[in-house]
Amino acid sequence: MNAKVVRRLRRGSKIASFALFMFLFVQAVYLGQSTLTSDLFYRFDPLIAATAMIAGRAIIAGLLYSLINLLASVIFGRVWCGWLCPMGTMLDWFSPRKLPPKKQVSEKWRTVKYLLFVVLIFGAVLGSQSLVIADPISILTRTMTTVLWPGLRFMVFEVESFLYNFDLLWPGLDVFNAKILLPLFQGIESVFIAALPIFLFFAAIVGLNWITERFWCRYFCPLGGMLGLFSRSSIFRREVGDACTSCELCAPNCPTGTIDKENNFVSDPAECIYCYDCAAENACGCAPPRDCSLVC
Amino acid sequence: MSEKENFNRREFLRTISIAGAGLYLTGCTQKQTQALPTPISDVATLNPNEENQNAAGGTYSEAEKPVFGDVYLSAVRGENPKEMTRRAVAAVGGIEKYISNGMDVIIKPNICTDYYSFEYGATTNPEVIAVLISLSLGAGAKRVRVMDNPFGGTAQSAYRKSGIEEAVIRAGGEMEVMNSNKFRPNEIPDGIDIKEWIFYQDILDADVVINVPIAKHHSTTGLTLGCKNLMGTILNRGQIHANIDQRIADLTSRVRPALTVIDGIRTLMHNGPTGGNLNDVKMSNTIIASADIVAADSYAATLFGKSGADIGYIRSATAMGLGIMDLNSIKIEELSI
């Protein structure tokens, strides 16, 4: 498959997934009026499923959708991270375009996410799900609810208030208010006491992007760690073929920084998020790759 | 401008527009019903609803034909709220006396909380409002909006819970959530205690305001009827409670609804204005209509075994010359259907 096509598909997938996340989020306010269940993303999250079932000592049927995610990881690697995770999408959007010269972060940091995953499971074995606050779906939902959506609402309504000073605009503003603002934001002005610490936690994760791209996904995300473990022997993987001319253009393009310059530009399948950035036009200098396993 | 930066800006704009379109579509899916009858009509009496046909001598039999009277106040007793409302309005001159072609009409019911449905006698009967909408549109109103500013729950949930939103949309009206941005300070030239307050500008600017309160007990003023219902048109309601009787009269002097139709189908006899106990609700099965808000309130007080003079704000309003409290001095038509 053409790398250009795949990259476009990926962009579409990220947007669609995030749009779905936001749709479910807004629908949740209506409680029961939505056709799709609001906790859909949680149901596909194997970390949530594992900790919930272990801590609860029960099989929870609704969470078994996450097996699909694990299956996808076994086949394709960490596609969830690269194509579907709404937190990953947010991190891609809130990322500096021109990074300062790459600070070298030791590869040893990658084990932190595996460690965190083990600690979460251990906590679950002991009956506690408290550490699931580190799960990316949990982080994004919590932050969206208490910080981002109310913040957006505040800004939009402030602009609306300003515009309402002009009587001529009232008919148009009334329509905008009734058709768009009220359905999305309801008449509720939410101010959450814990909004500040929740925001700081999220901002810290986003801020890490300024050290290196997708810092959270590479080094800290426990879900990434779990999926990474399942991706170690993925069926589809990036492999470097004989055509490689060592042009060194792929390595700096990799968002998870897993392409090893010292080791013939191979990548760790547990870290690769299948983004195809390495095969982009301005990246790989070789002849275009011919099949899904991205032979370079 | 490097090529990469241009590309990113394009990507950003594309993402934002897709996200914006997605949000808009989400907003669109919140429509309550699919095909809504459009109330906007340039031609008078083009609205093909029941009321209009009947007014033109359509489907009523001779015996049923509504009598268009010209009394000061009408009180209709019966079992059918819709029919009672039609008769009550007809008896005080018919809707055309108050509404003419192209008018912007606002109906102000009582939707005080989102706690209970209308059977609890705390919010206005949806059928009464629906009939008033049909009548108004039949008379050629450009649009009919229904609104209130609840003190319990959000406007949207209160509109739904009371059953009023559904009835309004079916009748061809619009529910409007009272946007805080549309409240403006306005002078009360005839005010005795207060000379200025913050009112919902659209209500003051509307061509016709039809006041449709529900008659119920009130812990502070004794009863809440027509004048008290106008408290839904203002902000800073806490401050109104100081010297409340005179201040309600002052508010009434500024809003001056053209027509007051009091819903006395279910009267909340105790624990108003919120209610919550069906045992407190009495089926009084009465609809009162009058252009005089004070007279309507005075008559409604009799449903509770009181007289207008027993209620502080009715006395204050009478003293200001806003209406007639003495029921013996006005022409009243009492109907039983």
Side-chain angles (χ1 to χ4, degrees):
Chain A
M1 278 213 286
N2 192 331
K4 205 179 195 176
V5 173
V6 174
R7 293 179 75 228
R8 231 178 242 152
L9 278 174
R10 179 184 170 229
R11 203 176 306 140
S13 170
K14 287 199 314 188
I15 293 173
S17 175
F18 192 80
L20 179 64
F21 180 82
M22 288 312 300
F23 175 76
L24 293 174
F25 175 82
V26 173
Q27 281 286 343
V29 179
Y30 294 93
L31 295 171
Q33 284 187 32
S34 64
T35 45
L36 279 174
T37 173
S38 297
D39 59 359
L40 195 70
F41 276 80
Y42 282 99
R43 293 183 183 224
F44 277 87
D45 185 332
L47 183 61
I48 300 280
T51 52
M53 291 197 253
I54 293 171
R57 315 275 192 255
I59 306 279
I60 305 170
L63 293 176
L64 291 176
Y65 295 100
S66 55
L67 289 175
I68 299 174
N69 200 340
L70 289 179
L71 194 66
S73 302
V74 166
I75 299 175
F76 293 106
R78 281 172 69 181
V79 279
W80 161 268
C81 303
W83 291 58
L84 296 172
C85 182
M87 181 70 171
T89 306
M90 277 233 103
L91 289 175
D92 281 343
W93 286 346
F94 292 100
S95 213
R97 289 298 165 195
K98 271 208 168 88
L99 269 177
K102 288 253 166 55
K103 296 177 190 153
Q104 271 304 101
V105 182
S106 165
E107 284 298 296
K108 292 210 180 85
W109 281 91
R110 291 190 193 264
T111 48
V112 172
K113 62 180 185 292
Y114 299 113
L115 220 60
L116 215 51
F117 166 64
V118 168
V119 167
L120 253 82
I121 296 297
F122 186 64
V125 166
L126 295 179
S128 167
Q129 276 191 281
S130 310
L131 296 170
V132 172
I133 53 170
D135 174 272
I137 302 295
S138 171
I139 293 171
L140 188 61
T141 309
R142 176 192 333 138
T143 311
M144 187 64 66
T145 310
T146 59
V147 179
L148 301 175
W149 199 248
L152 181 65
R153 183 195 195 279
F154 177 76
M155 286 193 292
V156 170
F157 275 71
E158 283 300 294
V159 171
E160 195 208 22
S161 280
F162 171 72
L163 292 175
Y164 260 111
N165 284 319
F166 309 103
D167 288 23
L168 279 174
L169 297 174
W170 280 22
L173 286 174
D174 281 353
V175 172
F176 181 71
N177 188 285
K179 291 277 189 292
I180 297 180
L181 288 195
L182 280 183
L184 286 179
F185 295 106
Q186 302 283 296
I188 309 164
E189 279 178 47
S190 319
V191 178
F192 294 90
I193 299 172
L196 186 60
I198 290 173
F199 170 70
L200 290 174
F201 186 65
F202 184 77
I205 294 175
V206 171
L208 290 172
N209 279 341
W210 269 255
I211 300 178
T212 187
E213 205 179 337
R214 285 229 180 192
F215 191 105
W216 166 261
C217 307
R218 288 192 208 192
Y219 304 119
F220 286 164
C221 182
L223 177 58
M226 180 178 189
L227 295 175
L229 288 176
F230 279 82
S231 305
R232 271 171 167 228
S233 325
S234 61
I235 297 171
F236 286 88
R237 56 174 69 199
R238 179 179 172 277
E239 288 189 357
V240 182
D242 297 325
C244 176
T245 57
S246 303
C247 66
E248 294 195 21
L249 287 175
C250 59
N253 265 24
C254 179
T256 52
T258 184
I259 297 179
D260 195 348
K261 276 200 281 202
E262 321 297 315
N263 191 10
N264 203 30
F265 302 97
V266 295
S267 53
D268 186 352
E271 302 293 324
C272 174
I273 61 171
Y274 231 72
C275 68
Y276 269 71
D277 279 3
C278 54
E281 278 152 6
N282 60 342
C284 182
C286 310
R290 268 174 301 231
D291 60 23
C292 276
S293 50
L294 192 60
V295 171
C296 173
Chain B
M1 208 81 58
S2 85
E3 215 184 278
K4 187 164 190 202
E5 275 182 50
N6 267 334
F7 181 65
N8 288 336
R9 188 180 302 131
R10 210 180 305 145
E11 184 181 321
F12 175 75
L13 285 172
R14 200 191 304 165
T15 309
I16 290 296
S17 16
I18 291 174
L23 285 177
Y24 176 68
L25 287 172
T26 308
C28 282
T29 60
Q30 300 321 314
K31 278 210 185 81
Q32 298 299 315
T33 59
Q34 290 308 313
L36 303 178
T38 163
I40 299 167
S41 166
D42 277 330
V43 181
T45 67
L46 196 62
N47 192 315
N49 60 41
E50 234 180 83
E51 279 69 38
N52 198 41
Q53 281 177 10
N54 295 333
T59 56
Y60 271 140
S61 74
E62 253 331 297
E64 291 171 339
K65 238 183 188 158
V67 176
F68 288 92
D70 203 10
V71 293
Y72 196 83
L73 180 148
S74 67
V76 181
R77 284 176 174 77
E79 300 286 309
N80 183 338
K82 284 194 161 161
E83 193 51 41
M84 289 157 68
T85 308
R86 279 185 212 121
R87 300 286 221 117
V89 173
V92 290
I95 197 74
E96 277 87 358
K97 186 172 177 185
Y98 307 94
I99 295 178
S100 42
N101 193 29
M103 279 191 170
D104 188 9
V105 178
I106 289 182
I107 291 179
K108 165 64 181 73
N110 187 325
I111 317 177
C112 57
T113 66
D114 70 348
Y115 305 158
Y116 316 109
S117 59
F118 70 90
E119 285 92 353
Y120 284 77
T123 54
T124 306
N125 189 312
E127 289 184 271
V128 172
I129 301 172
V131 164
L132 290 169
I133 294 174
S134 302
L135 289 173
S136 303
L137 293 173
K142 181 174 68 179
R143 70 171 165 175
V144 182
R145 289 179 287 170
V146 180
M147 59 185 74
D148 197 5
N149 190 6
F151 59 77
T154 63
Q156 289 153 294
S157 61
Y159 289 173
R160 237 176 281 139
K161 187 72 188 237
S162 59
I164 289 175
E165 181 173 58
E166 197 191 321
V168 164
I169 291 180
R170 223 182 304 125
E174 298 169 30
M175 293 302 307
E176 175 163 309
V177 173
M178 291 170 76
N179 194 325
S180 56
N181 291 308
K182 294 211 277 183
F183 283 89
R184 290 270 160 81
N186 275 274
E187 280 175 14
I188 306 173
D190 302 319
I192 291 178
D193 193 47
I194 50 174
K195 285 296 191 183
E196 186 190 81
W197 210 263
I198 302 178
F199 289 88
Y200 196 65
Q201 199 60 45
D202 276 6
I203 288 181
L204 295 184
D205 292 345
D207 294 317
V208 165
V209 175
I210 305 179
N211 191 16
V212 195
I214 184 163
K216 56 181 181 179
H217 169 260
H218 194 282
S219 44
T220 310
T221 53
L223 293 177
T224 164
L225 306 160
C227 299
K228 180 85 173 56
N229 192 37
L230 298 177
M231 272 182 59
T233 65
I234 58 170
L235 286 184
N236 296 340
R237 288 183 283 204
Q239 292 171 31
I240 275 285
H241 283 74
N243 198 5
I244 191 169
D245 292 330
Q246 184 56 56
R247 290 192 177 190
I248 289 175
D250 291 341
L251 292 181
T252 309
S253 76
R254 181 60 181 90
V255 181
R256 299 199 192 235
L259 178 65
T260 299
V261 178
I262 301 188
D263 170 15
I265 308 273
R266 288 173 179 79
T267 48
L268 186 65
M269 308 303 286
H270 311 282
N271 297 315
T274 310
N277 189 343
L278 282 171
N279 293 327
D280 292 335
V281 179
K282 175 182 166 190
M283 298 300 296
S284 294
N285 292 314
T286 310
I287 297 278
I288 303 159
S290 179
D292 181 339
I293 190 174
V294 178
D297 281 8
S298 189
Y299 191 97
T302 65
L303 296 177
F304 298 83
K306 296 185 200 264
S307 74
D310 294 331
I311 306 298
Y313 76 74
I314 297 180
R315 287 197 305 271
S316 302
T318 309
M320 282 175 80
L322 295 174
I324 300 173
M325 186 172 68
D326 179 10
L327 297 175
N328 294 321
S329 64
I330 57 176
K331 195 172 174 197
I332 298 178
E333 175 148 357
E334 287 171 327
L335 294 170
S336 266
I337 60 167

